[in-house]
Amino acid sequence: MRYRWFAKEEERVDAFGVPVSRAEHDEALHPKSPGYARGEVLAIVLAMVILCYEWVNDDAPLIFVCVSFLVYELQPIVLKVYGPRGQVICNVIKGFSLATFIGALAWTFL
């Protein structure tokens, strides 16, 4: 819930005069650390299990879907290793993951 309460009147706008909410102000003071939530870790483990199962059964399109998801989930690791400079690598990861997923869907229906 975003609320609009400020202790001082001058905090209601930023340096350019644009109104800001108190929640945005508080989020700037306490940045969220990049990492995995509990559900994401479970999804990664499940994708690895499905990947191993499909590797044995030789179902190539589903293997590519799992690889696409696992590559996409590398982003927090890249951000922790490279910091703010890793954003370019994260954009490459997103693009590669999306292309792999679309290719797997096309392969499935051909």
Side-chain angles (χ1 to χ4, degrees):
M1 180 176 159
R2 293 191 176 264
Y3 53 92
R4 294 187 175 274
W5 176 84
F6 289 91
K8 299 177 185 172
E9 187 68 29
E10 62 269 4
E11 293 178 347
R12 290 185 183 206
V13 293
D14 63 1
F16 300 107
V18 178
V20 296
S21 71
R22 179 66 188 201
E24 292 171 355
H25 180 69
D26 288 343
E27 289 169 359
L29 294 176
H30 306 289
K32 184 179 176 185
S33 63
Y36 294 116
R38 185 174 41 166
E40 285 179 315
V41 173
L42 180 62
I44 290 169
V45 170
L46 187 60
M48 292 171 123
V49 169
I50 292 172
L51 176 68
C52 292
Y53 178 75
E54 295 304 325
W55 188 278
V56 171
N57 288 336
D58 198 30
D59 187 11
L62 197 53
I63 289 173
F64 276 90
V65 169
C66 290
V67 167
S68 170
F69 176 74
L70 292 174
V71 166
Y72 181 80
E73 289 296 327
L74 286 175
Q75 292 179 33
I77 296 171
V78 169
L79 286 177
K80 279 189 178 184
V81 171
Y82 292 107
R85 296 177 297 167
Q87 191 61 41
V88 174
I89 300 172
C90 285
N91 291 340
V92 171
I93 286 174
K94 285 180 188 177
F96 178 75
S97 177
L98 183 63
T100 307
F101 182 74
I102 291 172
L105 286 179
W107 193 1
T108 300
F109 293 114
L110 288 180

